[in-house]
Amino acid sequence: MRRGFTLIELLVVIAVIAILASILFPVFLSARDSAKKTICLSNMNQGGKAIFLYSSDNGDRCVPPTSHGLCDSFVGSWTSESDHDMAWPEIVQRYAKDWQFFRCPSDLAATDSEMSKAPRDEQPIPQDQTAKRHWAWAFRSHMGLNYSWLAYTFKRDKFNARFGAIPSQAKTILLVDSVWKRQTDGTPYGGGSWAVDAPASEDFLDCTRAGWRCWTVGPGDPDSQECRAMSGAFGYAYPWHTSHQVFNTAFIDGHVKSLKLADLLAGTDPKARILTDEEACLWDTRK
């Protein structure tokens, strides 16, 4: 005659399952995050290739951050499909031919609806306005261009940096993970940002200087509530990966790499926004 499980036996089985779940669940989460980080790195590589293809047709020059130029009052403006300011992902779209790899899969808000909001006033863009939605997606790309050093004149009538003239291409950042805005609790929203401020720059910039607000106007403590609530805490760069500890980054020589905060701050004094070691800094184009 068969007998059923006793209550004690059932409790033991449930306890074993609970223990196994507590052990395996973090492993599954880590594996999922690692997979998303790998996809994001691959996307970064594709974004870099699109920029290089653009540069090959434009005198070896880096793509401008926007078609109007960052000093122009029409940055992020839309008049019509044929008359609007284009962020660099839209400028290189003829080479990329895909919008999805401009998004980071680790951002749960990287959806058509969330990113289809006008850059200036955050107004939702209807689904039937495809060109205008693409315009918004470009400004909310999760690949932030190192414009502080690669597009240092900011104006559309000025040339951007020539890649071939940069001595240490393998040590110079082209793109880095980015964020659009953050809520007061630090939660990111709105997608990414097409451009990222360097933590340090020279005084030759035409209309602005680089800077990471966590240090320039905040306490310089990334874990503080004040810095968590700042959209520009890391100059609009953002660590989407490995429990918000890692920034995926593309370099001018074409390789991609995951970096930590200390790597991005190397050779800089973010409080004063100056270089302290040009050789160690990964942002400047002169080393």
Side-chain angles (χ1 to χ4, degrees):
M1 177 177 170
R2 298 180 61 186
R3 68 179 183 85
F5 290 108
T6 66
L7 177 60
I8 296 298
E9 289 172 331
L10 286 173
L11 290 175
V12 169
V13 170
I14 292 171
V16 170
I17 293 174
I19 292 171
L20 289 174
S22 67
I23 294 173
L24 295 176
F25 189 65
V27 174
F28 292 146
L29 288 179
S30 177
R32 185 175 64 179
D33 182 71
S34 179
K36 289 181 177 180
K37 183 175 71 173
T38 300
I39 293 171
C40 185
L41 281 171
S42 177
N43 290 347
M44 280 278 180
N45 180 267
Q46 293 300 315
K49 287 180 178 178
I51 291 176
F52 299 142
L53 288 172
Y54 168 91
S55 71
S56 67
D57 288 339
N58 290 273
D60 193 38
R61 300 284 182 178
C62 179
V63 65
T66 76
S67 56
H68 277 287
L70 293 185
C71 286
D72 195 290
S73 60
F74 293 97
V75 171
S77 64
W78 175 279
T79 302
S80 67
E81 184 173 345
S82 61
D83 183 15
H84 64 276
D85 186 36
M86 295 184 288
W88 73 263
E90 187 175 2
I91 296 174
V92 305
Q93 187 57 214
R94 58 176 293 193
Y95 305 99
K97 303 185 184 303
D98 188 359
W99 284 104
Q100 291 304 312
F101 70 67
F102 287 104
R103 302 181 185 183
C104 178
S106 292
D107 180 7
L108 298 180
T111 61
D112 287 1
S113 59
E114 181 67 21
M115 297 178 68
S116 298
K117 297 177 182 178
R120 285 188 159 190
D121 58 17
E122 304 287 319
Q123 292 301 306
I125 301 171
Q127 290 188 14
D128 61 347
Q129 297 184 22
T130 303
K132 194 171 185 179
R133 284 161 71 91
H134 290 171
W135 161 72
W137 296 355
F139 276 96
R140 296 171 188 271
S141 165
H142 287 82
M143 300 180 196
L145 183 69
N146 175 18
Y147 75 91
S148 300
W149 288 90
L150 293 173
Y152 43 80
T153 59
F154 295 100
K155 296 181 180 178
R156 55 182 171 179
D157 59 340
K158 301 287 186 180
F159 285 119
N160 297 309
R162 191 188 297 276
F163 287 135
I166 298 173
S168 301
Q169 297 186 9
K171 296 169 60 179
T172 305
I173 290 173
L174 175 64
L175 303 168
V176 65
D177 277 337
S178 60
V179 69
W180 184 255
K181 288 185 178 179
R182 297 168 78 180
Q183 298 174 1
T184 55
D185 64 355
T187 304
Y189 73 94
S193 173
W194 85 105
V196 168
D197 300 325
S201 67
E202 295 297 331
D203 290 331
F204 54 66
L205 303 180
D206 284 347
C207 62
T208 186
R209 289 189 64 193
W212 285 17
R213 295 184 65 221
C214 180
W215 285 264
T216 56
V217 300
D221 176 10
D223 294 322
S224 68
Q225 180 59 44
E226 183 178 354
C227 286
R228 282 201 300 268
M230 291 180 181
S231 295
F234 307 120
Y236 297 92
Y238 188 75
W240 286 108
H241 312 285
T242 316
S243 300
H244 300 297
Q245 299 295 315
V246 167
F247 304 76
N248 278 349
T249 311
F251 289 79
I252 291 175
D253 73 333
H255 85 279
V256 292
K257 191 174 183 179
S258 297
L259 300 177
K260 294 187 176 181
L261 179 61
D263 300 317
L264 296 182
L265 290 177
T268 72
D269 178 349
K271 186 71 175 178
R273 299 184 292 188
I274 60 173
L275 298 180
T276 56
D277 184 342
E278 192 172 283
E279 186 65 26
C281 178
L282 297 177
W283 299 84
D284 75 280
T285 57
R286 304 174 310 181
K287 57 183 176 295

